[in-house]
mmCIF file with all atom_site columns, all heavy atoms in Angstrom:
data_model
loop_
_atom_site.group_PDB
_atom_site.id
_atom_site.type_symbol
_atom_site.label_atom_id
_atom_site.label_alt_id
_atom_site.label_comp_id
_atom_site.label_asym_id
_atom_site.label_entity_id
_atom_site.label_seq_id
_atom_site.pdbx_PDB_ins_code
_atom_site.Cartn_x
_atom_site.Cartn_y
_atom_site.Cartn_z
_atom_site.occupancy
_atom_site.B_iso_or_equiv
_atom_site.pdbx_formal_charge
_atom_site.auth_seq_id
_atom_site.auth_comp_id
_atom_site.auth_asym_id
_atom_site.auth_atom_id
_atom_site.pdbx_PDB_model_num
ATOM 1   N N   . CYS A 1 1  ? 0.854  -1.178  -0.005  1.00 97.00 ? 202 CYS A N   1
ATOM 2   C CA  . CYS A 1 1  ? -0.031 -0.019  -0.012  1.00 97.00 ? 202 CYS A CA  1
ATOM 3   C C   . CYS A 1 1  ? 0.895  1.188   -0.054  1.00 97.00 ? 202 CYS A C   1
ATOM 4   O O   . CYS A 1 1  ? 1.736  1.390   0.925   1.00 97.00 ? 202 CYS A O   1
ATOM 5   C CB  . CYS A 1 1  ? -0.881 0.038   1.268   1.00 97.00 ? 202 CYS A CB  1
ATOM 6   S SG  . CYS A 1 1  ? -1.983 1.453   1.407   1.00 97.00 ? 202 CYS A SG  1
ATOM 7   N N   . THR A 1 2  ? 0.738  2.078   -1.004  1.00 97.00 ? 203 THR A N   1
ATOM 8   C CA  . THR A 1 2  ? 1.584  3.288   -1.099  1.00 97.00 ? 203 THR A CA  1
ATOM 9   C C   . THR A 1 2  ? 0.656  4.510   -1.004  1.00 97.00 ? 203 THR A C   1
ATOM 10  O O   . THR A 1 2  ? -0.378 4.610   -1.710  1.00 97.00 ? 203 THR A O   1
ATOM 11  C CB  . THR A 1 2  ? 2.318  3.367   -2.433  1.00 97.00 ? 203 THR A CB  1
ATOM 12  O OG1 . THR A 1 2  ? 3.096  2.159   -2.620  1.00 97.00 ? 203 THR A OG1 1
ATOM 13  C CG2 . THR A 1 2  ? 3.161  4.523   -2.603  1.00 97.00 ? 203 THR A CG2 1
ATOM 14  N N   . PHE A 1 3  ? 1.066  5.449   -0.142  1.00 97.00 ? 204 PHE A N   1
ATOM 15  C CA  . PHE A 1 3  ? 0.322  6.697   -0.005  1.00 97.00 ? 204 PHE A CA  1
ATOM 16  C C   . PHE A 1 3  ? 1.198  7.856   -0.380  1.00 97.00 ? 204 PHE A C   1
ATOM 17  O O   . PHE A 1 3  ? 2.365  7.905   -0.044  1.00 97.00 ? 204 PHE A O   1
ATOM 18  C CB  . PHE A 1 3  ? -0.138 6.837   1.487   1.00 97.00 ? 204 PHE A CB  1
ATOM 19  C CG  . PHE A 1 3  ? -0.650 8.193   1.831   1.00 97.00 ? 204 PHE A CG  1
ATOM 20  C CD1 . PHE A 1 3  ? -1.827 8.585   1.371   1.00 97.00 ? 204 PHE A CD1 1
ATOM 21  C CD2 . PHE A 1 3  ? 0.155  9.094   2.639   1.00 97.00 ? 204 PHE A CD2 1
ATOM 22  C CE1 . PHE A 1 3  ? -2.449 9.884   1.720   1.00 97.00 ? 204 PHE A CE1 1
ATOM 23  C CE2 . PHE A 1 3  ? -0.359 10.340  3.008   1.00 97.00 ? 204 PHE A CE2 1
ATOM 24  C CZ  . PHE A 1 3  ? -1.604 10.734  2.533   1.00 97.00 ? 204 PHE A CZ  1
ATOM 25  N N   . ASN A 1 4  ? 0.624  8.810   -1.150  1.00 95.00 ? 205 ASN A N   1
ATOM 26  C CA  . ASN A 1 4  ? 1.290  10.079  -1.502  1.00 95.00 ? 205 ASN A CA  1
ATOM 27  C C   . ASN A 1 4  ? 0.377  11.233  -1.212  1.00 95.00 ? 205 ASN A C   1
ATOM 28  O O   . ASN A 1 4  ? -0.898 11.105  -1.481  1.00 95.00 ? 205 ASN A O   1
ATOM 29  C CB  . ASN A 1 4  ? 1.689  10.127  -2.946  1.00 95.00 ? 205 ASN A CB  1
ATOM 30  C CG  . ASN A 1 4  ? 2.839  9.313   -3.267  1.00 95.00 ? 205 ASN A CG  1
ATOM 31  O OD1 . ASN A 1 4  ? 3.978  9.615   -2.835  1.00 95.00 ? 205 ASN A OD1 1
ATOM 32  N ND2 . ASN A 1 4  ? 2.724  8.351   -4.090  1.00 95.00 ? 205 ASN A ND2 1
ATOM 33  N N   . ARG A 1 5  ? 0.881  12.375  -0.794  1.00 93.00 ? 206 ARG A N   1
ATOM 34  C CA  . ARG A 1 5  ? 0.102  13.528  -0.686  1.00 93.00 ? 206 ARG A CA  1
ATOM 35  C C   . ARG A 1 5  ? 0.726  14.681  -1.425  1.00 93.00 ? 206 ARG A C   1
ATOM 36  O O   . ARG A 1 5  ? 1.954  14.936  -1.261  1.00 93.00 ? 206 ARG A O   1
ATOM 37  C CB  . ARG A 1 5  ? -0.038 13.999  0.901   1.00 93.00 ? 206 ARG A CB  1
ATOM 38  C CG  . ARG A 1 5  ? -0.759 15.306  1.053   1.00 93.00 ? 206 ARG A CG  1
ATOM 39  C CD  . ARG A 1 5  ? -1.073 15.655  2.471   1.00 93.00 ? 206 ARG A CD  1
ATOM 40  N NE  . ARG A 1 5  ? -2.201 14.772  2.827   1.00 93.00 ? 206 ARG A NE  1
ATOM 41  C CZ  . ARG A 1 5  ? -2.451 14.499  4.089   1.00 93.00 ? 206 ARG A CZ  1
ATOM 42  N NH1 . ARG A 1 5  ? -1.724 14.975  5.099   1.00 93.00 ? 206 ARG A NH1 1
ATOM 43  N NH2 . ARG A 1 5  ? -3.443 13.720  4.399   1.00 93.00 ? 206 ARG A NH2 1
ATOM 44  N N   . PHE A 1 6  ? -0.057 15.395  -2.284  1.00 91.00 ? 207 PHE A N   1
ATOM 45  C CA  . PHE A 1 6  ? 0.395  16.524  -3.018  1.00 91.00 ? 207 PHE A CA  1
ATOM 46  C C   . PHE A 1 6  ? -0.405 17.684  -2.602  1.00 91.00 ? 207 PHE A C   1
ATOM 47  O O   . PHE A 1 6  ? -1.665 17.635  -2.543  1.00 91.00 ? 207 PHE A O   1
ATOM 48  C CB  . PHE A 1 6  ? 0.189  16.262  -4.547  1.00 91.00 ? 207 PHE A CB  1
ATOM 49  C CG  . PHE A 1 6  ? 0.843  14.935  -4.953  1.00 91.00 ? 207 PHE A CG  1
ATOM 50  C CD1 . PHE A 1 6  ? 0.066  13.732  -5.094  1.00 91.00 ? 207 PHE A CD1 1
ATOM 51  C CD2 . PHE A 1 6  ? 2.225  14.875  -5.312  1.00 91.00 ? 207 PHE A CD2 1
ATOM 52  C CE1 . PHE A 1 6  ? 0.652  12.587  -5.502  1.00 91.00 ? 207 PHE A CE1 1
ATOM 53  C CE2 . PHE A 1 6  ? 2.760  13.703  -5.747  1.00 91.00 ? 207 PHE A CE2 1
ATOM 54  C CZ  . PHE A 1 6  ? 2.017  12.533  -5.771  1.00 91.00 ? 207 PHE A CZ  1
ATOM 55  N N   . VAL A 1 7  ? 0.206  18.830  -2.384  1.00 89.00 ? 208 VAL A N   1
ATOM 56  C CA  . VAL A 1 7  ? -0.534 20.052  -1.998  1.00 89.00 ? 208 VAL A CA  1
ATOM 57  C C   . VAL A 1 7  ? -0.052 21.193  -2.936  1.00 89.00 ? 208 VAL A C   1
ATOM 58  O O   . VAL A 1 7  ? 1.132  21.500  -2.976  1.00 89.00 ? 208 VAL A O   1
ATOM 59  C CB  . VAL A 1 7  ? -0.300 20.415  -0.512  1.00 89.00 ? 208 VAL A CB  1
ATOM 60  C CG1 . VAL A 1 7  ? -1.102 21.695  -0.247  1.00 89.00 ? 208 VAL A CG1 1
ATOM 61  C CG2 . VAL A 1 7  ? -0.734 19.288  0.406   1.00 89.00 ? 208 VAL A CG2 1
ATOM 62  N N   . LYS A 1 8  ? -1.034 21.825  -3.614  1.00 85.00 ? 209 LYS A N   1
ATOM 63  C CA  . LYS A 1 8  ? -0.795 23.010  -4.354  1.00 85.00 ? 209 LYS A CA  1
ATOM 64  C C   . LYS A 1 8  ? -1.999 23.871  -4.246  1.00 85.00 ? 209 LYS A C   1
ATOM 65  O O   . LYS A 1 8  ? -2.290 24.421  -3.246  1.00 85.00 ? 209 LYS A O   1
ATOM 66  C CB  . LYS A 1 8  ? -0.436 22.643  -5.797  1.00 85.00 ? 209 LYS A CB  1
ATOM 67  C CG  . LYS A 1 8  ? 0.159  23.887  -6.541  1.00 85.00 ? 209 LYS A CG  1
ATOM 68  C CD  . LYS A 1 8  ? 0.744  23.594  -7.918  1.00 85.00 ? 209 LYS A CD  1
ATOM 69  C CE  . LYS A 1 8  ? 1.262  24.868  -8.533  1.00 85.00 ? 209 LYS A CE  1
ATOM 70  N NZ  . LYS A 1 8  ? 1.836  24.642  -9.811  1.00 85.00 ? 209 LYS A NZ  1
ATOM 71  N N   . ASP A 1 9  ? -2.809 23.978  -5.254  1.00 87.00 ? 210 ASP A N   1
ATOM 72  C CA  . ASP A 1 9  ? -4.120 24.686  -5.237  1.00 87.00 ? 210 ASP A CA  1
ATOM 73  C C   . ASP A 1 9  ? -5.123 23.904  -4.509  1.00 87.00 ? 210 ASP A C   1
ATOM 74  O O   . ASP A 1 9  ? -6.134 24.400  -3.968  1.00 87.00 ? 210 ASP A O   1
ATOM 75  C CB  . ASP A 1 9  ? -4.610 25.060  -6.662  1.00 87.00 ? 210 ASP A CB  1
ATOM 76  C CG  . ASP A 1 9  ? -3.688 26.006  -7.305  1.00 87.00 ? 210 ASP A CG  1
ATOM 77  O OD1 . ASP A 1 9  ? -3.003 26.776  -6.660  1.00 87.00 ? 210 ASP A OD1 1
ATOM 78  O OD2 . ASP A 1 9  ? -3.647 25.966  -8.585  1.00 87.00 ? 210 ASP A OD2 1
ATOM 79  N N   . GLU A 1 10 ? -4.934 22.574  -4.430  1.00 90.00 ? 211 GLU A N   1
ATOM 80  C CA  . GLU A 1 10 ? -5.853 21.658  -3.711  1.00 90.00 ? 211 GLU A CA  1
ATOM 81  C C   . GLU A 1 10 ? -4.891 20.526  -3.069  1.00 90.00 ? 211 GLU A C   1
ATOM 82  O O   . GLU A 1 10 ? -3.741 20.386  -3.534  1.00 90.00 ? 211 GLU A O   1
ATOM 83  C CB  . GLU A 1 10 ? -6.956 21.144  -4.604  1.00 90.00 ? 211 GLU A CB  1
ATOM 84  C CG  . GLU A 1 10 ? -6.471 20.345  -5.786  1.00 90.00 ? 211 GLU A CG  1
ATOM 85  C CD  . GLU A 1 10 ? -7.493 19.970  -6.759  1.00 90.00 ? 211 GLU A CD  1
ATOM 86  O OE1 . GLU A 1 10 ? -8.681 20.197  -6.409  1.00 90.00 ? 211 GLU A OE1 1
ATOM 87  O OE2 . GLU A 1 10 ? -7.131 19.585  -7.855  1.00 90.00 ? 211 GLU A OE2 1
ATOM 88  N N   . ARG A 1 11 ? -5.464 19.788  -2.224  1.00 92.00 ? 212 ARG A N   1
ATOM 89  C CA  . ARG A 1 11 ? -4.737 18.657  -1.656  1.00 92.00 ? 212 ARG A CA  1
ATOM 90  C C   . ARG A 1 11 ? -5.189 17.364  -2.331  1.00 92.00 ? 212 ARG A C   1
ATOM 91  O O   . ARG A 1 11 ? -6.397 17.150  -2.470  1.00 92.00 ? 212 ARG A O   1
ATOM 92  C CB  . ARG A 1 11 ? -4.968 18.596  -0.130  1.00 92.00 ? 212 ARG A CB  1
ATOM 93  C CG  . ARG A 1 11 ? -4.163 17.484  0.533   1.00 92.00 ? 212 ARG A CG  1
ATOM 94  C CD  . ARG A 1 11 ? -4.323 17.494  1.977   1.00 92.00 ? 212 ARG A CD  1
ATOM 95  N NE  . ARG A 1 11 ? -5.224 16.471  2.414   1.00 92.00 ? 212 ARG A NE  1
ATOM 96  C CZ  . ARG A 1 11 ? -5.551 16.198  3.670   1.00 92.00 ? 212 ARG A CZ  1
ATOM 97  N NH1 . ARG A 1 11 ? -5.148 17.014  4.605   1.00 92.00 ? 212 ARG A NH1 1
ATOM 98  N NH2 . ARG A 1 11 ? -6.366 15.245  3.903   1.00 92.00 ? 212 ARG A NH2 1
ATOM 99  N N   . ILE A 1 12 ? -4.252 16.554  -2.740  1.00 93.00 ? 213 ILE A N   1
ATOM 100 C CA  . ILE A 1 12 ? -4.568 15.327  -3.355  1.00 93.00 ? 213 ILE A CA  1
ATOM 101 C C   . ILE A 1 12 ? -3.874 14.194  -2.647  1.00 93.00 ? 213 ILE A C   1
ATOM 102 O O   . ILE A 1 12 ? -2.622 14.226  -2.465  1.00 93.00 ? 213 ILE A O   1
ATOM 103 C CB  . ILE A 1 12 ? -4.136 15.305  -4.872  1.00 93.00 ? 213 ILE A CB  1
ATOM 104 C CG1 . ILE A 1 12 ? -4.812 16.387  -5.572  1.00 93.00 ? 213 ILE A CG1 1
ATOM 105 C CG2 . ILE A 1 12 ? -4.481 13.921  -5.495  1.00 93.00 ? 213 ILE A CG2 1
ATOM 106 C CD1 . ILE A 1 12 ? -4.332 16.487  -7.083  1.00 93.00 ? 213 ILE A CD1 1
ATOM 107 N N   . ASP A 1 13 ? -4.608 13.282  -2.119  1.00 94.00 ? 214 ASP A N   1
ATOM 108 C CA  . ASP A 1 13 ? -4.146 12.150  -1.360  1.00 94.00 ? 214 ASP A CA  1
ATOM 109 C C   . ASP A 1 13 ? -4.302 10.924  -2.333  1.00 94.00 ? 214 ASP A C   1
ATOM 110 O O   . ASP A 1 13 ? -5.439 10.659  -2.715  1.00 94.00 ? 214 ASP A O   1
ATOM 111 C CB  . ASP A 1 13 ? -4.886 11.867  -0.094  1.00 94.00 ? 214 ASP A CB  1
ATOM 112 C CG  . ASP A 1 13 ? -4.715 13.013  0.915   1.00 94.00 ? 214 ASP A CG  1
ATOM 113 O OD1 . ASP A 1 13 ? -3.530 13.509  1.063   1.00 94.00 ? 214 ASP A OD1 1
ATOM 114 O OD2 . ASP A 1 13 ? -5.683 13.341  1.619   1.00 94.00 ? 214 ASP A OD2 1
ATOM 115 N N   . SER A 1 14 ? -3.205 10.346  -2.717  1.00 96.00 ? 215 SER A N   1
ATOM 116 C CA  . SER A 1 14 ? -3.360 9.176   -3.635  1.00 96.00 ? 215 SER A CA  1
ATOM 117 C C   . SER A 1 14 ? -2.955 7.886   -2.974  1.00 96.00 ? 215 SER A C   1
ATOM 118 O O   . SER A 1 14 ? -2.055 7.854   -2.078  1.00 96.00 ? 215 SER A O   1
ATOM 119 C CB  . SER A 1 14 ? -2.516 9.413   -4.892  1.00 96.00 ? 215 SER A CB  1
ATOM 120 O OG  . SER A 1 14 ? -1.104 9.358   -4.562  1.00 96.00 ? 215 SER A OG  1
ATOM 121 N N   . PHE A 1 15 ? -3.665 6.765   -3.365  1.00 97.00 ? 216 PHE A N   1
ATOM 122 C CA  . PHE A 1 15 ? -3.367 5.485   -2.741  1.00 97.00 ? 216 PHE A CA  1
ATOM 123 C C   . PHE A 1 15 ? -3.138 4.511   -3.936  1.00 97.00 ? 216 PHE A C   1
ATOM 124 O O   . PHE A 1 15 ? -3.841 4.598   -4.966  1.00 97.00 ? 216 PHE A O   1
ATOM 125 C CB  . PHE A 1 15 ? -4.561 5.029   -1.949  1.00 97.00 ? 216 PHE A CB  1
ATOM 126 C CG  . PHE A 1 15 ? -4.886 5.961   -0.794  1.00 97.00 ? 216 PHE A CG  1
ATOM 127 C CD1 . PHE A 1 15 ? -5.716 6.985   -0.956  1.00 97.00 ? 216 PHE A CD1 1
ATOM 128 C CD2 . PHE A 1 15 ? -4.308 5.637   0.419   1.00 97.00 ? 216 PHE A CD2 1
ATOM 129 C CE1 . PHE A 1 15 ? -6.027 7.769   0.082   1.00 97.00 ? 216 PHE A CE1 1
ATOM 130 C CE2 . PHE A 1 15 ? -4.529 6.558   1.459   1.00 97.00 ? 216 PHE A CE2 1
ATOM 131 C CZ  . PHE A 1 15 ? -5.480 7.532   1.397   1.00 97.00 ? 216 PHE A CZ  1
ATOM 132 N N   . GLU A 1 16 ? -2.273 3.599   -3.663  1.00 97.00 ? 217 GLU A N   1
ATOM 133 C CA  . GLU A 1 16 ? -2.051 2.513   -4.658  1.00 97.00 ? 217 GLU A CA  1
ATOM 134 C C   . GLU A 1 16 ? -1.807 1.186   -4.013  1.00 97.00 ? 217 GLU A C   1
ATOM 135 O O   . GLU A 1 16 ? -1.022 1.171   -3.056  1.00 97.00 ? 217 GLU A O   1
ATOM 136 C CB  . GLU A 1 16 ? -0.825 2.811   -5.593  1.00 97.00 ? 217 GLU A CB  1
ATOM 137 C CG  . GLU A 1 16 ? -0.490 1.751   -6.563  1.00 97.00 ? 217 GLU A CG  1
ATOM 138 C CD  . GLU A 1 16 ? 0.788  1.904   -7.333  1.00 97.00 ? 217 GLU A CD  1
ATOM 139 O OE1 . GLU A 1 16 ? 1.886  1.823   -6.696  1.00 97.00 ? 217 GLU A OE1 1
ATOM 140 O OE2 . GLU A 1 16 ? 0.643  2.124   -8.542  1.00 97.00 ? 217 GLU A OE2 1
ATOM 141 N N   . HIS A 1 17 ? -2.373 0.134   -4.443  1.00 97.00 ? 218 HIS A N   1
ATOM 142 C CA  . HIS A 1 17 ? -2.166 -1.214  -3.986  1.00 97.00 ? 218 HIS A CA  1
ATOM 143 C C   . HIS A 1 17 ? -1.537 -1.932  -5.135  1.00 97.00 ? 218 HIS A C   1
ATOM 144 O O   . HIS A 1 17 ? -2.131 -1.918  -6.231  1.00 97.00 ? 218 HIS A O   1
ATOM 145 C CB  . HIS A 1 17 ? -3.405 -1.933  -3.488  1.00 97.00 ? 218 HIS A CB  1
ATOM 146 C CG  . HIS A 1 17 ? -3.775 -1.628  -2.108  1.00 97.00 ? 218 HIS A CG  1
ATOM 147 N ND1 . HIS A 1 17 ? -4.526 -2.450  -1.359  1.00 97.00 ? 218 HIS A ND1 1
ATOM 148 C CD2 . HIS A 1 17 ? -3.428 -0.636  -1.251  1.00 97.00 ? 218 HIS A CD2 1
ATOM 149 C CE1 . HIS A 1 17 ? -4.672 -2.035  -0.156  1.00 97.00 ? 218 HIS A CE1 1
ATOM 150 N NE2 . HIS A 1 17 ? -4.032 -0.863  -0.055  1.00 97.00 ? 218 HIS A NE2 1
ATOM 151 N N   . ARG A 1 18 ? -0.314 -2.532  -4.963  1.00 97.00 ? 219 ARG A N   1
ATOM 152 C CA  . ARG A 1 18 ? 0.335  -3.206  -6.051  1.00 97.00 ? 219 ARG A CA  1
ATOM 153 C C   . ARG A 1 18 ? 0.972  -4.528  -5.586  1.00 97.00 ? 219 ARG A C   1
ATOM 154 O O   . ARG A 1 18 ? 1.598  -4.529  -4.512  1.00 97.00 ? 219 ARG A O   1
ATOM 155 C CB  . ARG A 1 18 ? 1.426  -2.331  -6.687  1.00 97.00 ? 219 ARG A CB  1
ATOM 156 C CG  . ARG A 1 18 ? 2.070  -2.941  -7.866  1.00 97.00 ? 219 ARG A CG  1
ATOM 157 C CD  . ARG A 1 18 ? 3.254  -2.102  -8.401  1.00 97.00 ? 219 ARG A CD  1
ATOM 158 N NE  . ARG A 1 18 ? 2.790  -0.859  -8.905  1.00 97.00 ? 219 ARG A NE  1
ATOM 159 C CZ  . ARG A 1 18 ? 2.672  -0.622  -10.236 1.00 97.00 ? 219 ARG A CZ  1
ATOM 160 N NH1 . ARG A 1 18 ? 3.049  -1.523  -11.103 1.00 97.00 ? 219 ARG A NH1 1
ATOM 161 N NH2 . ARG A 1 18 ? 2.245  0.547   -10.639 1.00 97.00 ? 219 ARG A NH2 1
ATOM 162 N N   . CYS A 1 19 ? 0.773  -5.621  -6.351  1.00 96.00 ? 220 CYS A N   1
ATOM 163 C CA  . CYS A 1 19 ? 1.350  -6.875  -6.021  1.00 96.00 ? 220 CYS A CA  1
ATOM 164 C C   . CYS A 1 19 ? 2.815  -6.889  -6.469  1.00 96.00 ? 220 CYS A C   1
ATOM 165 O O   . CYS A 1 19 ? 3.145  -6.447  -7.521  1.00 96.00 ? 220 CYS A O   1
ATOM 166 C CB  . CYS A 1 19 ? 0.561  -8.006  -6.701  1.00 96.00 ? 220 CYS A CB  1
ATOM 167 S SG  . CYS A 1 19 ? 1.343  -9.605  -6.424  1.00 96.00 ? 220 CYS A SG  1
ATOM 168 N N   . SER A 1 20 ? 3.689  -7.454  -5.643  1.00 92.00 ? 221 SER A N   1
ATOM 169 C CA  . SER A 1 20 ? 5.076  -7.569  -5.997  1.00 92.00 ? 221 SER A CA  1
ATOM 170 C C   . SER A 1 20 ? 5.343  -8.668  -6.962  1.00 92.00 ? 221 SER A C   1
ATOM 171 O O   . SER A 1 20 ? 6.458  -8.691  -7.569  1.00 92.00 ? 221 SER A O   1
ATOM 172 C CB  . SER A 1 20 ? 5.850  -7.861  -4.653  1.00 92.00 ? 221 SER A CB  1
ATOM 173 O OG  . SER A 1 20 ? 5.464  -9.142  -4.137  1.00 92.00 ? 221 SER A OG  1
ATOM 174 N N   . ASP A 1 21 ? 4.378  -9.545  -7.191  1.00 94.00 ? 222 ASP A N   1
ATOM 175 C CA  . ASP A 1 21 ? 4.545  -10.674 -8.107  1.00 94.00 ? 222 ASP A CA  1
ATOM 176 C C   . ASP A 1 21 ? 3.799  -10.538 -9.406  1.00 94.00 ? 222 ASP A C   1
ATOM 177 O O   . ASP A 1 21 ? 4.498  -10.579 -10.476 1.00 94.00 ? 222 ASP A O   1
ATOM 178 C CB  . ASP A 1 21 ? 4.149  -11.945 -7.412  1.00 94.00 ? 222 ASP A CB  1
ATOM 179 C CG  . ASP A 1 21 ? 5.148  -13.067 -7.351  1.00 94.00 ? 222 ASP A CG  1
ATOM 180 O OD1 . ASP A 1 21 ? 6.341  -12.728 -7.454  1.00 94.00 ? 222 ASP A OD1 1
ATOM 181 O OD2 . ASP A 1 21 ? 4.752  -14.206 -7.312  1.00 94.00 ? 222 ASP A OD2 1
ATOM 182 N N   . CYS A 1 22 ? 2.539  -10.420 -9.409  1.00 95.00 ? 223 CYS A N   1
ATOM 183 C CA  . CYS A 1 22 ? 1.782  -10.590 -10.623 1.00 95.00 ? 223 CYS A CA  1
ATOM 184 C C   . CYS A 1 22 ? 1.422  -9.244  -11.328 1.00 95.00 ? 223 CYS A C   1
ATOM 185 O O   . CYS A 1 22 ? 0.878  -9.186  -12.418 1.00 95.00 ? 223 CYS A O   1
ATOM 186 C CB  . CYS A 1 22 ? 0.513  -11.376 -10.394 1.00 95.00 ? 223 CYS A CB  1
ATOM 187 S SG  . CYS A 1 22 ? -0.785 -10.430 -9.413  1.00 95.00 ? 223 CYS A SG  1
ATOM 188 N N   . GLY A 1 23 ? 1.674  -8.109  -10.650 1.00 88.00 ? 224 GLY A N   1
ATOM 189 C CA  . GLY A 1 23 ? 1.384  -6.817  -11.254 1.00 88.00 ? 224 GLY A CA  1
ATOM 190 C C   . GLY A 1 23 ? -0.020 -6.308  -10.935 1.00 88.00 ? 224 GLY A C   1
ATOM 191 O O   . GLY A 1 23 ? -0.426 -5.266  -11.465 1.00 88.00 ? 224 GLY A O   1
ATOM 192 N N   . PHE A 1 24 ? -0.776 -7.027  -10.205 1.00 96.00 ? 225 PHE A N   1
ATOM 193 C CA  . PHE A 1 24 ? -2.171 -6.630  -9.795  1.00 96.00 ? 225 PHE A CA  1
ATOM 194 C C   . PHE A 1 24 ? -1.970 -5.121  -9.235  1.00 96.00 ? 225 PHE A C   1
ATOM 195 O O   . PHE A 1 24 ? -1.124 -4.873  -8.456  1.00 96.00 ? 225 PHE A O   1
ATOM 196 C CB  . PHE A 1 24 ? -2.777 -7.466  -8.658  1.00 96.00 ? 225 PHE A CB  1
ATOM 197 C CG  . PHE A 1 24 ? -3.856 -6.969  -7.949  1.00 96.00 ? 225 PHE A CG  1
ATOM 198 C CD1 . PHE A 1 24 ? -5.206 -6.955  -8.499  1.00 96.00 ? 225 PHE A CD1 1
ATOM 199 C CD2 . PHE A 1 24 ? -3.777 -6.357  -6.683  1.00 96.00 ? 225 PHE A CD2 1
ATOM 200 C CE1 . PHE A 1 24 ? -6.262 -6.446  -7.865  1.00 96.00 ? 225 PHE A CE1 1
ATOM 201 C CE2 . PHE A 1 24 ? -4.854 -5.846  -5.979  1.00 96.00 ? 225 PHE A CE2 1
ATOM 202 C CZ  . PHE A 1 24 ? -6.145 -5.925  -6.611  1.00 96.00 ? 225 PHE A CZ  1
ATOM 203 N N   . ARG A 1 25 ? -2.914 -4.290  -9.581  1.00 97.00 ? 226 ARG A N   1
ATOM 204 C CA  . ARG A 1 25 ? -2.750 -2.893  -9.211  1.00 97.00 ? 226 ARG A CA  1
ATOM 205 C C   . ARG A 1 25 ? -4.137 -2.199  -9.107  1.00 97.00 ? 226 ARG A C   1
ATOM 206 O O   . ARG A 1 25 ? -4.965 -2.383  -10.060 1.00 97.00 ? 226 ARG A O   1
ATOM 207 C CB  . ARG A 1 25 ? -1.884 -2.144  -10.216 1.00 97.00 ? 226 ARG A CB  1
ATOM 208 C CG  . ARG A 1 25 ? -1.697 -0.671  -9.908  1.00 97.00 ? 226 ARG A CG  1
ATOM 209 C CD  . ARG A 1 25 ? -0.686 -0.107  -11.005 1.00 97.00 ? 226 ARG A CD  1
ATOM 210 N NE  . ARG A 1 25 ? -0.655 1.303   -10.829 1.00 97.00 ? 226 ARG A NE  1
ATOM 211 C CZ  . ARG A 1 25 ? -1.074 2.210   -11.658 1.00 97.00 ? 226 ARG A CZ  1
ATOM 212 N NH1 . ARG A 1 25 ? -1.721 1.834   -12.769 1.00 97.00 ? 226 ARG A NH1 1
ATOM 213 N NH2 . ARG A 1 25 ? -0.963 3.483   -11.409 1.00 97.00 ? 226 ARG A NH2 1
ATOM 214 N N   . GLU A 1 26 ? -4.363 -1.392  -8.041  1.00 97.00 ? 227 GLU A N   1
ATOM 215 C CA  . GLU A 1 26 ? -5.509 -0.592  -7.994  1.00 97.00 ? 227 GLU A CA  1
ATOM 216 C C   . GLU A 1 26 ? -5.158 0.765   -7.379  1.00 97.00 ? 227 GLU A C   1
ATOM 217 O O   . GLU A 1 26 ? -4.239 0.798   -6.558  1.00 97.00 ? 227 GLU A O   1
ATOM 218 C CB  . GLU A 1 26 ? -6.721 -1.242  -7.270  1.00 97.00 ? 227 GLU A CB  1
ATOM 219 C CG  . GLU A 1 26 ? -6.241 -1.774  -5.869  1.00 97.00 ? 227 GLU A CG  1
ATOM 220 C CD  . GLU A 1 26 ? -7.427 -2.568  -5.248  1.00 97.00 ? 227 GLU A CD  1
ATOM 221 O OE1 . GLU A 1 26 ? -8.527 -2.648  -5.717  1.00 97.00 ? 227 GLU A OE1 1
ATOM 222 O OE2 . GLU A 1 26 ? -7.150 -3.197  -4.199  1.00 97.00 ? 227 GLU A OE2 1
ATOM 223 N N   . THR A 1 27 ? -5.736 1.794   -7.878  1.00 97.00 ? 228 THR A N   1
ATOM 224 C CA  . THR A 1 27 ? -5.326 3.158   -7.455  1.00 97.00 ? 228 THR A CA  1
ATOM 225 C C   . THR A 1 27 ? -6.535 3.980   -7.207  1.00 97.00 ? 228 THR A C   1
ATOM 226 O O   . THR A 1 27 ? -7.670 3.759   -7.842  1.00 97.00 ? 228 THR A O   1
ATOM 227 C CB  . THR A 1 27 ? -4.481 3.902   -8.479  1.00 97.00 ? 228 THR A CB  1
ATOM 228 O OG1 . THR A 1 27 ? -5.213 4.023   -9.692  1.00 97.00 ? 228 THR A OG1 1
ATOM 229 C CG2 . THR A 1 27 ? -3.261 3.131   -8.734  1.00 97.00 ? 228 THR A CG2 1
#
């Protein structure tokens, strides 16, 4: 699970789940 926060004119919190093996990914 990867979390990033970007702040400029608005705040964007992004999340990604990625498998280390098969490449399964959801964001």
Side-chain angles (χ1 to χ4, degrees):
C202 177
T203 303
F204 168 73
N205 282 298
R206 175 171 286 161
F207 307 95
V208 179
K209 192 171 179 178
D210 296 332
E211 59 190 348
R212 184 174 103 180
I213 301 173
D214 295 320
S215 71
F216 299 90
E217 177 186 68
H218 275 201
R219 183 184 294 256
C220 176
S221 61
D222 231 26
C223 73
F225 167 80
R226 179 176 174 251
E227 53 189 352
T228 62

